[in-house]
Amino acid sequence: MTNTTWNRHHVISLADFQPEEYDTVLQTAASFQEVLSRRTKRVPALQGQVIANLFFESSTRTRSSFELAAKRLSADTLNFAPGTSSLTKGETILDTAKTYLAMGTDIMVIRHREAGVPLAIANEMDRLQTRVGVFNAGDGQHEHPSQALLDLFTLCTLIDAEKPRLSLLKGKKIAIVGDILHSRVARSNIWSLTASGAEVHLAAPPTLLPKWFADFVTEPIQSTQPSTSNSQLPRKLFLHWSLEPALKDADVVMTLRLQRERMTQHLLPSLREYHQRYGITKERLQLCKPDVKVMHPGPTNRGVEISSDLMDDPQFSLISQQVTSGVAVRMALLYLMSTGKM
Amino acid sequence: MTNTTWNRHHVISLADFQPEEYDTVLQTAASFQEVLSRRTKRVPALQGQVIANLFFESSTRTRSSFELAAKRLSADTLNFAPGTSSLTKGETILDTAKTYLAMGTDIMVIRHREAGVPLAIANEMDRLQTRVGVFNAGDGQHEHPSQALLDLFTLCTLIDAEKPRLSLLKGKKIAIVGDILHSRVARSNIWSLTASGAEVHLAAPPTLLPKWFADFVTEPIQSTQPSTSNSQLPRKLFLHWSLEPALKDADVVMTLRLQRERMTQHLLPSLREYHQRYGITKERLQLCKPDVKVMHPGPTNRGVEISSDLMDDPQFSLISQQVTSGVAVRMALLYLMSTGKM
Amino acid sequence: MTNTTWNRHHVISLADFQPEEYDTVLQTAASFQEVLSRRTKRVPALQGQVIANLFFESSTRTRSSFELAAKRLSADTLNFAPGTSSLTKGETILDTAKTYLAMGTDIMVIRHREAGVPLAIANEMDRLQTRVGVFNAGDGQHEHPSQALLDLFTLCTLIDAEKPRLSLLKGKKIAIVGDILHSRVARSNIWSLTASGAEVHLAAPPTLLPKWFADFVTEPIQSTQPSTSNSQLPRKLFLHWSLEPALKDADVVMTLRLQRERMTQHLLPSLREYHQRYGITKERLQLCKPDVKVMHPGPTNRGVEISSDLMDDPQFSLISQQVTSGVAVRMALLYLMSTGKM
């Protein structure tokens, strides 16, 4: 694998990802996807390296995916359990990270309830002139880059399994529906999908999609390769307070998890009303293209943001493929971060 | 190893286990027991495969045993921590299982507080036409098949360490004492021990052994091999509300863990009275055969269901051997489930 | 590596450690430190062996260090999670240990809130004539031998990285400052540092350093090798209720973690006052030798026992080196315990 277009130690945000970087991730993930289909699903790429999963916010699903990706690359993994940690003894998060650094950690995978923690740790690792890579596995309401990249990989491999690339989504209409305001998944996906040249349509109640969100992406998509014709393309993002215009002729509908806390925060009247107005059902999909696909980052609330029968219908649902893609895409990112350090 | 008599993807219940299947497990476990006595205690049988321990009900002891068995087979393991999982976010158990399926899990080891959950997941895996095996590691008050199989292995290897087989227990008298009603260990053991041709005697207070329990096993032991002479044998199960008739001339006494909640449920007057009437002591063992053995699935309440000195007496207690057998028997079952899928 | 001076199955306390044993640990750790600097940071020394981390008192930092050390030695590890264990079901600690013994554990790494638990388990393992080694990873206010040995290694390698040895600290002045009374780290360090021939000065408020503590070490340092000239040396321990005499001309200052519970126990007036009187700052270090080094076992309370700027100053702080040393020293101890059993 040639990584002429990759020189990141850290994966924190997709805001400044360039088209060539997306393509490097997609192609590397495709080659790991092939490894995962073999009987011996393991490559020695990161043998002897230590990957520490520092999940300050607990998550079994994402941690398992990262852990499996690390094991497939032959790395050693350390799991940090927030409830039983030094944090409860007054240690700062940076000091916890520095402890794992001193133990010999090569890559830190970090999830935290507060936006900005992975970036702060990455900055500290750079300030200390270490070669440690920091991987943002979800920080507050900021970003969740590996989720957006596995979504991208899932969509692109659907079109061309052998050679997934960003440009395959050009001109597609992709609707993102649900609690946009609080969703790090939505934020990361907006960066990657608009970078592909797709039209991204957001749909949510006004409380979960305030007007100022229209300013989310302003700068055009940039490319470091001057020869590329689509450098300096504008990003296409549209906001809707009702579902219909977003679903109309859509190629893809991404639903987002609705957190029950939103009720108690008076942002929504009731789960039932939310489902009636914004829940994705087979009936509603009739507004979309006939071969529309539905995605969800999980875990799902069946019958709230998505109807139960739709979720289980392989004609529409990509949910399983998303989870499967997650292992290959995280392998690709861990591998690239590791080579990007040489 | 030839597995001509094994074609199960799942191990959920012993109710329909056939004599030939018991013997396959016993013989396979004996060969793994030999592996465990070597300096390098590892075989490459399940290399590259993923075993997910989905312990929705937490258990360190059983999870460690399964984890070690998986590592001895060179499999990769994923541990699911119920407290920090998507379940608390509203995801259904089937969706959690499907997530682990999509990540590439080959065998799911499932423990759950409710009876039937492993079966429901196994059915879903089959409906989805996957090759995933489901291993019931204890479901509510239903079954705990690996515990009964390790008990069986412990008893059979005591008689013939090289060639353990079901028929070795024919005619033995085995007492199971304690909280039968709530015990998945007792239920699984009743299936395996009556299948061996042993006489199984249950003893407990009436609140923990209701009359209807006599109907527990009705169908005779079946064998798929028509040449076997003991096909269609009746199962021998006896109920007692006092200890003495169960212990009289017994070859083996299995005690069960008494859960303290039983007091608050008004099923028992006090721990002290329970110990006086149903606790197994050296004195009481004088009713049994001179070389009687005592078993307990653990964890024990010393001085409640079993006296402390008896538990520590290697002349009688098989408790350590049971734990040791657990690793070999679980290796055998994971291996067989894996080959049963080819 | 020749271990002619090592025949311990267990590492419980440094009270009876002999100079030759310290040197064996230091030299073995130095050779593993070299391994850790290679690209493939793994040796097959403990392949197939099982190391169980029984952390009855939870600790992410120390458990991660032990886990990494075990993985670097190619051992299999089992992690025991106290919250989800059989302990909550009434099992005794010795029974839990015997369960891990029966599963095939080779070394148990034990941390417990109560002093004496690792020793009790070690005694039980010996009484049962097993070859299992017990490693005290911190027991109550008793000892934390691996912490003191990694501190020793850190200091000795600072003087001679290639050939660290106990005698390098002879004549050095080392101050230990803080909550001496409750610190297992201080107790273990007092044994190792006085054994080196260093002068150890303790400084703390009287409530955290009672008069009777002066009797802590009475017996002289012993050596089994009669040829060694420094056998039967007296241990040099001094107590101070103010900071200045301890810091005066010190070569090393060890600060200890102040637990916030000490306030509610009326042992201290306030954190602020504690910092004013006993907190280590750059200003206070002017009392010490110019090249003084500062150590802390972690996790730290920045601005309480140590000032934040001092902690981050690589000119003085050895805190990162301590964590790094921890992996090599624990590898050395696990390896030596394992060979000591043959």
Side-chain angles (χ1 to χ4, degrees), chain A residues 42 61 64 71 302 324, chain B residues 76-77 89 91 95 100 102:
Chain A
R42 195 183 260 270
R61 163 197 293 267
S64 287
K71 286 180 173 170
R302 282 173 178 266
T324 302
Chain B
D76 287 321
T77 56
K89 301 176 187 164
E91 191 179 54
D95 285 341
Y100 279 87

Side-chain angles (χ1 to χ4, degrees), chain A residues 39 41-42 58-61 63-65 67-68 71-72 257 299-302 311-312 320 323-324 327, chain B residues 45 48-50 76-81 84-86 89-92 95 98-100 102-103 106 342:
Chain A
R39 177 151 170 83
K41 308 181 183 72
R42 195 183 260 270
S58 62
S59 157
T60 297
R61 163 197 293 267
R63 189 185 50 67
S64 287
S65 181
E67 196 175 338
L68 198 53
K71 286 180 173 170
R72 293 316 195 196
R257 185 182 153 62
T300 51
N301 297 299
R302 282 173 178 266
M311 205 182 139
D312 294 334
S320 280
V323 176
T324 302
V327 180
Chain B
Q49 297 213 25
V50 176
D76 287 321
T77 56
L78 288 179
N79 284 314
F80 171 86
T84 63
S85 81
S86 305
K89 301 176 187 164
E91 191 179 54
T92 69
D95 285 341
K98 278 190 264 187
T99 298
Y100 279 87
M103 276 186 213
D106 296 287
M342 300 303 155

Side-chain angles (χ1 to χ4, degrees), chain A residues 52-84:
Chain A
N53 290 315
L54 307 183
F55 276 58
F56 298 96
E57 182 185 296
S58 62
S59 157
T60 297
R61 163 197 293 267
T62 308
R63 189 185 50 67
S64 287
S65 181
F66 272 105
E67 196 175 338
L68 198 53
K71 286 180 173 170
R72 293 316 195 196
L73 293 166
S74 304
D76 287 320
T77 55
L78 288 179
N79 284 315
F80 170 86
T84 64

Side-chain angles (χ1 to χ4, degrees), chain C residues 21-277:
Chain C
E21 291 180 293
Y22 285 112
D23 282 344
T24 301
V25 173
L26 292 172
Q27 287 156 27
T28 311
S31 72
F32 283 125
Q33 189 83 300
E34 190 272 322
V35 168
L36 292 175
S37 68
R38 296 183 205 157
R39 176 148 172 84
T40 300
K41 308 182 183 74
R42 196 182 261 268
V43 288
L46 299 194
Q47 196 141 39
Q49 297 213 26
V50 177
I51 298 180
N53 290 315
L54 307 183
F55 276 58
F56 298 97
E57 181 185 298
S58 61
S59 158
T60 297
R61 162 197 294 266
T62 307
R63 188 185 51 66
S64 286
S65 181
F66 272 105
E67 198 177 336
L68 199 53
K71 285 179 174 172
R72 292 316 196 196
L73 293 166
S74 304
D76 287 321
T77 56
L78 288 178
N79 284 315
F80 171 87
T84 64
S85 81
S86 304
L87 289 177
T88 59
K89 300 176 188 165
E91 191 179 55
T92 69
I93 289 167
L94 284 184
D95 284 341
T96 300
K98 278 189 265 187
T99 299
Y100 279 88
L101 164 68
M103 275 186 214
T105 297
D106 295 287
I107 295 179
M108 296 181 190
V109 180
I110 295 169
R111 170 168 285 199
H112 200 281
R113 203 171 292 274
E114 300 215 9
V117 166
L119 179 61
I121 294 177
N123 287 342
E124 182 70 5
M125 291 298 130
D126 291 346
R127 193 185 67 74
L128 294 170
Q129 295 184 293
T130 75
R131 291 177 155 201
V132 168
V134 174
F135 197 138
N136 178 8
D139 64 328
Q141 298 170 7
H142 177 224
E143 286 220 34
H144 190 355
S146 64
Q147 178 69 42
L149 291 168
L150 72 86
D151 290 341
L152 185 69
F153 181 74
T154 305
L155 289 176
C156 291
T157 50
L158 207 66
I159 302 173
D160 186 345
E162 306 257 309
K163 291 194 63 178
R165 54 201 185 279
L166 195 63
S167 57
L168 292 170
L169 300 189
K170 195 169 181 179
K172 301 284 182 190
K173 176 170 177 180
I174 299 174
I176 305 179
V177 178
D179 184 1
I180 310 281
L181 178 62
H182 301 93
S183 174
R184 54 198 179 204
V185 174
R187 275 174 180 70
S188 288
N189 262 307
I190 288 169
W191 288 116
S192 55
L193 296 174
T194 56
S196 75
E199 278 189 14
V200 177
H201 291 254
L202 310 178
T207 47
L208 301 181
L209 182 56
K211 267 192 180 164
W212 55 258
F213 206 91
D215 305 325
F216 183 67
V217 288
T218 49
E219 68 266 51
I221 305 143
Q222 294 185 4
S223 171
T224 45
Q225 296 187 334
S227 60
T228 311
S229 57
N230 66 345
S231 63
Q232 300 292 321
L233 280 181
R235 294 180 186 267
K236 295 175 190 159
L237 186 67
F238 306 88
L239 274 63
H240 310 278
W241 289 351
S242 66
L243 202 51
E244 290 70 19
L247 295 195
K248 177 91 178 104
D249 294 324
D251 295 280
V252 177
V253 180
M254 288 185 171
T255 55
L256 299 172
R257 186 181 153 62
L258 188 75
Q259 288 178 358
R260 280 138 203 274
E261 305 93 270
R262 304 304 169 224
M263 307 303 122
T264 53
Q265 295 163 338
H266 303 293
L267 294 171
L268 285 176
S270 74
L271 290 180
R272 172 191 288 239
E273 185 169 332
Y274 179 81
H275 182 64
Q276 277 183 342
R277 294 203 50 207

